[in-house]
Amino acid sequence: MNSFNVKEVLDQLTIEEKASLCSAADFWHTKTIERLNIPNVMVSDGPHGLRKQEDDPDHLGFGDSVAAVCFPSASALACSFDRDLLKELGNALGDECQAEEVSTLLGPGINMKRSPLCGRNFEYYSEDPYLAGELAASYVNGVQEKGIGTSLKHFAANNQEYRRMSISANIDERTLREIYLTAFEIVVKEAKPTTLMCSYNRINGTYSCENDWLLNKVLRDEWGFEGLVMSDWGAMNERVSALKAGLDLEMPSSSGINDKEIVKAINNKTLDMETLDTATKRVLNLIKHFYDNKKEGISYDKEAHHNLARKIAGECAVLLKNDNILPLQQEQKVCFIGQFAKEPRYQGGGSSHIHSFKVTNAVDSFASMSTTSLKGEEQPSAPFAKGYHLSTDKIDEALLQEAVELAKSVEVAVIFAGLPDSFESEGYDRTHLNLPNCQNILIQEVLKVQPNTLIVLHNGSPVTMPWINDVKAVLDVYLGGQAVGESTIDLLYGKVNPSGKLAETFPVKLEDNPSYLNFPGTEKEVVYSEGIYIGYRYYEKKAMNVLFPFGHGLSYTTFQYDDMKLSNTIMKDTDTLSVSLKIKNTGSVFGKETVQLYVKSPSGTQVRPIKELKGFEKVSLQPNEEKEILFKLDKRSFAYYEMSINNWYVPTGDYEILVGSSSNNILLSQTVHIDSTGHLPFVVTDTTTCGDVYKYVKDPSIFDNLIKKCILSVPLSEDNSLGEGSTEMIKQMFDGMPIHSILSFGDFGITLEDIRNVINQLNAK
Ligand code: BGC
């Protein structure tokens, strides 16, 4: 196909043809316009591999798809805290799409993990919008560098599966801006994704697909998005309203019904041609983009991509606990227990389900490691006991006993535990955070006979760990992709040093989670009453214990943080702050550390978290090696969304820059004073409190004169006649008293007229 000129084509299209381009031909293809030689393009899921369906199309992952490579899923990827790695993954997926002639990869999914119960959390990155946005931007850049498009999803506030196609997520605007939209904003601004996928749900009553505020005002006018917006599969409600709100492409299709609605609306003049042209132009751009960037004769090396999946999995796994038992030594007598050791759970269910061309497990990978290291000499594979069934939560006494007997006979027992497919998936939410009971019992029984027991976890989201104090180590490999067997052995035996950090908090129990009181909501709506307090923002504010904090992850080496310097100690909010520090590997093996930078805002009247992640860098260090790291912080790093000005605002004050190895292990800190250049509107009315007049009016002397005329000047004296603390009491009462109330406390010769006069003069200043 030769390239075409979008404007020329647009000029030649009939209304019917334009409308037809605004929905797909089938599950995965846009329509063709043969008359004008306009071909179609194919889109495919995503996001942690390519799910290209040739026959039996469906959006829930039931039907078959071409054999491809399954990389670790998003919840694992985020634990890498590694922008370069995400880009490398994006590049690989871009190549796969070129080879398979797929124009757009449907991902990444970057919704916030509001509740650990969301069935689709494994497909999402984090509870922190900055982390999710930065990593997803790298992924998008990686895919798009290869000339392939992406579809950032699900825009927005799709934070649960329960009634995802109809529920209204009711969220105040500040919370939306600071938490639920920020990751999207970062990706749109940093990586310019070619498309965005609208979520199924409503936001504050309006379907995302019909949300003019969301799609036209915020996404396009404010953030400058120039690409196409498509609906999630079947998310369309009222087609013409959606088109007006900025929803260009309906997926998959409505068998032409909605196309006719568009034509009807144009003809009866309830829809203007410019709106239809704009959407059609964006669809044509999507098609043109693919053919302009298509590389002929591309193929990809599946084995090489499998090796990349292995490398990535090694960077993502999080060593949660290690009482000096890991890494294991090859001479040690170990056994592997648990069905997952032979049949790992390496991806989640639903539309992201990849048809892996091969999968490795820990038992076989151990055997091949041993064979390789012993140069072909015979080496028995690690003894294995199944321990439990994945298909049922019933305890199988025979399997349990077999596992216990085996554990007794070795030096170290490695138990592979985690969530079976039925425990988490697209389409429904979890109801609890527990592992199957049969697995918890197995761990407890093995611990009775084998103190050197460690756990490898396969899970897409947090689980409770009733045995945490008794096991020697926990390695969380999340859903680590098709090479998870090899990467787990790499990590257990120290061939790879764990470097993942948790991208989400593991709470002690479900009830501790801030969304607990309002998840998943009622039949019609879910109210995000916890506001901006998601994940660690909440647990820290409430000084709660957690099982494992955000940003936590151990290594086989140690690091020393030193020499923190700020470029300024006093600055304006429009200035940039540079933060440098040194980090050294003080252990004896190569390792990687993720240095995390949090900003703590001054305490004041604004509702703000204790601290928020505003920078992170993953550093590789040989033993004794030291590197300098540099962070740049700008206005946004210090700001919150202030509703009175509908904008980001940095209050004047002292901000602490905190640097550490996890959210609860801050190792360096310094303070910078920031002077705000912004102004909050302050209008005095007769209900303004007296205290606020003194706080916000630059020259309150006229008000002072008024106050002095009445008994209210008492609080300014040191009169304790009403008892200890009375001065403070009167002061507080005065501060909180509306101006009009002055008249209620006696006749001071002041009239309402006098008060209004003073108010006018204060506002004039
Ligand atoms: C999912 C999307 C997916 C689409 C196509 C929908 O059900 O929510 O994430 O891309 O199906 O499979």
Side-chain angles (χ1 to χ4, degrees), residues 46-103:
H48 53 269
L50 181 58
R51 185 172 74 97
K52 181 186 174 191
Q53 284 192 311
E54 283 177 327
D55 313 304
D56 299 333
D58 74 283
H59 67 302
L60 294 173
F62 297 134
D64 209 0
S65 50
V66 296
V69 182
C70 179
F71 294 92
S73 54
S75 55
L77 290 172
C79 296
S80 73
F81 275 71
D82 190 336
R83 295 178 182 87
D84 295 341
L85 193 74
L86 270 283
K87 194 162 181 201
E88 199 179 344
L89 168 63
N91 280 167
L93 290 170
D95 284 341
E96 294 189 16
C97 288
Q98 282 285 359
E100 293 287 353
E101 307 205 351
V102 167
S103 78

Coordinates of all heavy atoms in Angstrom, one line a residue, residues 46-103:
G46 N -1.7 -7.3 23.6 CA -1.3 -6.5 24.7 C -1.9 -6.9 26.1 O -2.7 -7.7 26.3
P47 N -1.1 -6.2 27.0 CA 0.1 -5.4 26.7 C 1.5 -6.1 27.0 O 2.5 -5.6 26.5 CB 0.0 -4.2 27.6 CG -1.2 -4.4 28.5 CD -1.7 -5.8 28.3
H48 N 1.5 -7.2 27.7 CA 2.8 -7.8 28.0 C 3.2 -8.9 27.1 O 3.9 -9.9 27.4 CB 2.8 -8.3 29.5 CG 1.7 -9.2 29.8 ND1 0.5 -8.7 30.3 CD2 1.6 -10.5 29.6 CE1 -0.3 -9.8 30.4 NE2 0.3 -10.8 30.0
G49 N 2.7 -8.8 25.8 CA 3.0 -9.8 24.8 C 2.0 -9.4 23.7 O 1.2 -8.5 23.8
L50 N 2.1 -10.2 22.6 CA 1.2 -9.9 21.5 C 0.1 -11.0 21.4 O 0.4 -12.2 21.3 CB 2.0 -9.9 20.2 CG 1.2 -9.6 18.9 CD1 0.5 -8.2 19.0 CD2 2.2 -9.6 17.7
R51 N -1.2 -10.6 21.5 CA -2.3 -11.5 21.4 C -3.0 -11.3 20.1 O -4.0 -10.6 20.0 CB -3.3 -11.4 22.5 CG -4.4 -12.5 22.5 CD -5.2 -12.5 23.7 NE -6.1 -11.4 23.8 CZ -7.4 -11.5 23.4 NH1 -7.9 -12.6 23.0 NH2 -8.2 -10.4 23.5
K52 N -2.3 -11.7 19.0 CA -2.9 -11.5 17.7 C -3.8 -12.7 17.3 O -3.4 -13.8 17.2 CB -1.8 -11.4 16.6 CG -2.4 -11.1 15.2 CD -1.3 -11.2 14.2 CE -1.9 -11.0 12.8 NZ -0.9 -11.3 11.8
Q53 N -5.1 -12.4 17.2 CA -6.1 -13.4 16.9 C -6.4 -13.4 15.4 O -6.7 -12.4 14.8 CB -7.4 -13.2 17.6 CG -7.3 -13.5 19.1 CD -8.7 -13.5 19.7 OE1 -9.4 -12.6 19.6 NE2 -9.0 -14.6 20.5
E54 N -6.2 -14.6 14.8 CA -6.5 -14.7 13.4 C -7.9 -15.2 13.1 O -8.6 -14.7 12.3 CB -5.5 -15.5 12.7 CG -4.2 -14.7 12.5 CD -3.0 -15.3 11.9 OE1 -2.8 -16.5 12.2 OE2 -2.3 -14.6 11.2
D55 N -8.3 -16.2 14.0 CA -9.7 -16.8 13.9 C -10.3 -16.6 15.2 O -9.6 -16.2 16.2 CB -9.6 -18.3 13.5 CG -8.7 -18.5 12.4 OD1 -8.9 -17.9 11.3 OD2 -7.7 -19.3 12.6
D56 N -11.6 -16.9 15.4 CA -12.3 -16.9 16.6 C -12.0 -15.7 17.5 O -11.5 -15.8 18.6 CB -11.9 -18.1 17.5 CG -12.2 -19.4 16.8 OD1 -13.2 -19.4 16.0 OD2 -11.5 -20.4 17.1
P57 N -12.3 -14.5 16.9 CA -11.9 -13.3 17.7 C -12.8 -13.2 19.0 O -14.0 -13.6 19.0 CB -12.2 -12.2 16.7 CG -13.2 -12.7 15.8 CD -12.9 -14.2 15.7
D58 N -12.2 -12.7 20.0 CA -12.9 -12.4 21.3 C -12.1 -11.5 22.1 O -10.9 -11.4 21.9 CB -13.3 -13.6 22.1 CG -12.0 -14.2 22.8 OD1 -11.2 -14.8 22.1 OD2 -11.9 -14.0 24.0
H59 N -12.7 -10.7 23.0 CA -11.9 -9.7 23.7 C -11.7 -10.3 25.1 O -11.2 -9.5 26.0 CB -12.7 -8.4 23.8 CG -13.9 -8.4 24.5 ND1 -15.0 -9.2 24.2 CD2 -14.3 -7.7 25.6 CE1 -16.0 -9.0 25.0 NE2 -15.6 -8.1 25.9
L60 N -11.9 -11.5 25.4 CA -11.7 -12.0 26.8 C -10.6 -13.1 26.9 O -10.5 -13.7 27.9 CB -13.0 -12.5 27.4 CG -14.1 -11.4 27.6 CD1 -15.4 -11.9 28.0 CD2 -13.6 -10.4 28.6
G61 N -10.0 -13.3 25.8 CA -8.8 -14.2 25.8 C -9.2 -15.6 25.7 O -8.3 -16.5 26.0
F62 N -10.4 -15.9 25.3 CA -10.8 -17.4 25.2 C -10.2 -18.0 24.0 O -9.7 -19.1 24.0 CB -12.3 -17.5 25.2 CG -13.0 -17.0 26.4 CD1 -14.1 -16.2 26.4 CD2 -12.5 -17.4 27.7 CE1 -14.8 -15.8 27.5 CE2 -13.1 -16.9 28.9 CZ -14.3 -16.1 28.8
G63 N -10.4 -17.3 22.8 CA -10.0 -17.9 21.6 C -8.5 -17.9 21.4 O -7.7 -17.3 22.2
D64 N -8.0 -18.7 20.4 CA -6.6 -18.9 20.2 C -6.0 -17.6 19.6 O -6.7 -16.8 19.0 CB -6.4 -20.1 19.3 CG -5.0 -20.7 19.7 OD1 -4.4 -20.2 20.6 OD2 -4.7 -21.7 19.0
S65 N -4.7 -17.5 19.8 CA -4.0 -16.4 19.1 C -2.6 -17.0 18.7 O -2.2 -18.0 19.1 CB -3.8 -15.2 20.1 OG -3.3 -15.7 21.3
V66 N -1.9 -16.2 17.8 CA -0.7 -16.7 17.3 C 0.3 -16.9 18.4 O 0.3 -16.1 19.4 CB -0.1 -15.8 16.2 CG1 -0.9 -15.7 15.0 CG2 0.3 -14.4 16.7
A67 N 1.2 -17.9 18.3 CA 2.1 -18.2 19.4 C 3.1 -17.0 19.5 O 3.6 -16.5 18.5 CB 2.9 -19.4 19.1
A68 N 3.3 -16.5 20.7 CA 4.2 -15.3 20.9 C 4.9 -15.5 22.2 O 5.0 -16.6 22.8 CB 3.3 -14.1 20.9
V69 N 5.5 -14.4 22.7 CA 6.3 -14.4 23.9 C 5.5 -13.7 25.0 O 5.1 -12.6 24.8 CB 7.6 -13.7 23.7 CG1 8.5 -13.8 24.9 CG2 8.4 -14.4 22.5
C70 N 5.4 -14.4 26.1 CA 4.7 -13.7 27.3 C 5.7 -13.2 28.2 O 6.5 -13.9 28.8 CB 3.8 -14.8 28.0 SG 3.0 -14.1 29.4
F71 N 5.7 -11.9 28.3 CA 6.7 -11.1 29.2 C 6.0 -11.0 30.6 O 4.8 -11.2 30.7 CB 7.0 -9.8 28.6 CG 7.8 -9.9 27.4 CD1 7.2 -9.9 26.1 CD2 9.2 -10.0 27.4 CE1 7.9 -10.0 24.9 CE2 9.9 -10.0 26.2 CZ 9.3 -10.1 25.0
P72 N 6.7 -10.6 31.6 CA 6.1 -10.4 32.9 C 4.9 -9.4 32.8 O 5.0 -8.4 32.0 CB 7.2 -9.8 33.8 CG 8.5 -10.3 33.2 CD 8.2 -10.4 31.7
S73 N 3.9 -9.6 33.6 CA 2.8 -8.6 33.5 C 3.0 -7.3 34.3 O 4.0 -7.2 35.0 CB 1.5 -9.3 33.9 OG 1.6 -9.9 35.2
A74 N 2.1 -6.4 34.1 CA 2.5 -5.0 34.5 C 2.8 -4.9 36.0 O 3.7 -4.1 36.4 CB 1.3 -4.1 34.2
S75 N 2.1 -5.6 36.8 CA 2.4 -5.5 38.3 C 3.8 -5.9 38.6 O 4.4 -5.4 39.5 CB 1.4 -6.3 39.1 OG 1.3 -7.6 38.7
A76 N 4.3 -6.9 37.8 CA 5.7 -7.3 38.0 C 6.6 -6.2 37.4 O 7.6 -5.8 38.0 CB 6.0 -8.6 37.3
L77 N 6.3 -5.8 36.1 CA 7.2 -4.8 35.4 C 7.4 -3.6 36.3 O 8.5 -3.1 36.3 CB 6.5 -4.4 34.1 CG 6.4 -5.5 33.0 CD1 5.6 -5.0 31.9 CD2 7.8 -5.8 32.5
A78 N 6.4 -3.1 36.9 CA 6.5 -1.9 37.7 C 7.5 -2.0 38.8 O 8.2 -1.1 39.2 CB 5.2 -1.5 38.3
C79 N 7.7 -3.3 39.3 CA 8.6 -3.5 40.4 C 10.1 -3.3 40.0 O 11.0 -3.2 40.8 CB 8.4 -4.9 41.1 SG 6.8 -5.0 41.8
S80 N 10.3 -3.3 38.7 CA 11.6 -3.1 38.2 C 12.1 -1.7 38.4 O 13.3 -1.4 38.5 CB 11.7 -3.4 36.7 OG 11.1 -2.4 35.9
F81 N 11.2 -0.7 38.5 CA 11.5 0.7 38.7 C 12.5 1.1 37.6 O 13.4 1.9 37.9 CB 12.0 1.0 40.1 CG 11.0 1.3 41.1 CD1 10.2 0.2 41.6 CD2 10.8 2.5 41.7 CE1 9.2 0.5 42.6 CE2 9.9 2.8 42.7 CZ 9.1 1.7 43.2
D82 N 12.4 0.5 36.4 CA 13.5 0.7 35.5 C 13.0 1.2 34.1 O 12.4 0.4 33.3 CB 14.2 -0.7 35.3 CG 15.5 -0.5 34.5 OD1 15.6 0.4 33.7 OD2 16.4 -1.4 34.7
R83 N 13.1 2.5 33.9 CA 12.6 3.0 32.6 C 13.3 2.4 31.4 O 12.6 2.1 30.4 CB 12.9 4.6 32.6 CG 12.2 5.3 33.7 CD 12.6 6.8 33.6 NE 12.0 7.6 34.6 CZ 12.5 7.8 35.8 NH1 13.6 7.2 36.2 NH2 11.8 8.6 36.7
D84 N 14.6 2.2 31.5 CA 15.3 1.6 30.3 C 14.8 0.2 29.9 O 14.6 -0.2 28.8 CB 16.8 1.5 30.5 CG 17.4 2.9 30.7 OD1 16.7 3.9 30.3 OD2 18.5 3.0 31.3
L85 N 14.5 -0.6 31.0 CA 14.0 -1.9 30.8 C 12.6 -1.9 30.1 O 12.4 -2.7 29.2 CB 13.9 -2.6 32.1 CG 13.7 -4.1 32.1 CD1 15.0 -4.8 31.7 CD2 13.3 -4.6 33.5
L86 N 11.8 -1.0 30.5 CA 10.5 -0.9 30.0 C 10.6 -0.5 28.5 O 9.8 -0.9 27.7 CB 9.6 0.1 30.7 CG 8.8 -0.4 31.9 CD1 7.5 -1.1 31.4 CD2 9.5 -1.3 32.9
K87 N 11.5 0.3 28.2 CA 11.7 0.8 26.8 C 12.2 -0.4 26.0 O 11.7 -0.6 24.8 CB 12.8 1.9 26.8 CG 12.8 2.6 25.5 CD 13.4 3.9 25.6 CE 13.4 4.7 24.3 NZ 14.4 5.7 24.2
E88 N 13.1 -1.2 26.5 CA 13.6 -2.3 25.8 C 12.5 -3.3 25.5 O 12.4 -3.9 24.4 CB 14.7 -3.0 26.7 CG 15.6 -3.9 25.9 CD 16.7 -4.5 26.9 OE1 16.9 -4.1 28.0 OE2 17.3 -5.5 26.4
L89 N 11.6 -3.5 26.5 CA 10.4 -4.4 26.3 C 9.6 -3.8 25.2 O 9.1 -4.5 24.3 CB 9.6 -4.5 27.6 CG 8.2 -5.1 27.5 CD1 8.3 -6.5 27.0 CD2 7.5 -5.0 28.8
G90 N 9.3 -2.5 25.2 CA 8.5 -1.8 24.2 C 9.1 -2.0 22.8 O 8.4 -2.4 21.9
N91 N 10.4 -1.9 22.7 CA 11.1 -2.1 21.4 C 10.9 -3.6 20.9 O 10.5 -3.8 19.7 CB 12.6 -2.0 21.6 CG 13.1 -0.5 21.6 OD1 14.2 -0.2 21.9 ND2 12.2 0.4 21.2
A92 N 11.0 -4.5 21.8 CA 10.8 -5.9 21.4 C 9.4 -6.1 20.9 O 9.1 -6.8 19.9 CB 11.1 -6.9 22.6
L93 N 8.4 -5.6 21.7 CA 7.0 -5.7 21.3 C 6.7 -5.0 20.0 O 5.9 -5.5 19.1 CB 6.1 -5.2 22.4 CG 6.1 -6.1 23.7 CD1 5.3 -5.4 24.8 CD2 5.4 -7.5 23.3
G94 N 7.4 -3.9 19.8 CA 7.2 -3.2 18.5 C 7.7 -4.0 17.4 O 7.0 -4.1 16.3
D95 N 8.8 -4.7 17.5 CA 9.3 -5.6 16.5 C 8.3 -6.7 16.2 O 8.1 -7.1 15.1 CB 10.7 -6.2 16.9 CG 11.8 -5.2 16.8 OD1 11.6 -4.2 16.0 OD2 12.9 -5.5 17.4
E96 N 7.7 -7.3 17.3 CA 6.8 -8.4 17.1 C 5.6 -7.9 16.3 O 5.1 -8.6 15.4 CB 6.3 -8.9 18.5 CG 7.5 -9.6 19.2 CD 7.0 -10.4 20.5 OE1 5.8 -10.6 20.6 OE2 7.9 -10.7 21.3
C97 N 5.1 -6.6 16.6 CA 4.0 -6.1 15.9 C 4.3 -5.9 14.4 O 3.5 -6.1 13.5 CB 3.5 -4.8 16.5 SG 2.7 -5.0 18.1
Q98 N 5.5 -5.4 14.2 CA 5.9 -5.2 12.8 C 5.9 -6.5 12.1 O 5.4 -6.6 10.9 CB 7.4 -4.6 12.7 CG 7.4 -3.1 13.0 CD 6.9 -2.3 11.8 OE1 6.5 -2.8 10.8 NE2 6.9 -0.9 12.0
A99 N 6.4 -7.6 12.7 CA 6.5 -8.9 12.1 C 5.1 -9.4 11.8 O 4.9 -10.1 10.8 CB 7.3 -9.8 12.9
E100 N 4.2 -9.2 12.7 CA 2.8 -9.7 12.6 C 1.9 -8.7 12.0 O 0.7 -9.0 11.9 CB 2.3 -10.1 14.0 CG 3.0 -11.3 14.7 CD 2.7 -12.6 14.0 OE1 1.9 -12.7 13.1 OE2 3.4 -13.6 14.4
E101 N 2.4 -7.6 11.5 CA 1.5 -6.6 10.8 C 0.4 -6.1 11.7 O -0.8 -6.0 11.2 CB 1.0 -7.1 9.5 CG 2.2 -7.7 8.6 CD 1.9 -7.6 7.1 OE1 0.7 -7.4 6.8 OE2 2.8 -7.9 6.3
V102 N 0.7 -5.8 12.9 CA -0.3 -5.3 13.8 C 0.0 -3.8 14.0 O 1.2 -3.4 14.3 CB -0.2 -6.0 15.2 CG1 -1.0 -5.2 16.3 CG2 -0.8 -7.4 15.1
S103 N -1.0 -2.9 13.8 CA -0.6 -1.5 13.8 C -0.5 -0.9 15.2 O 0.3 0.0 15.4 CB -1.8 -0.7 13.0 OG -2.9 -0.6 13.9

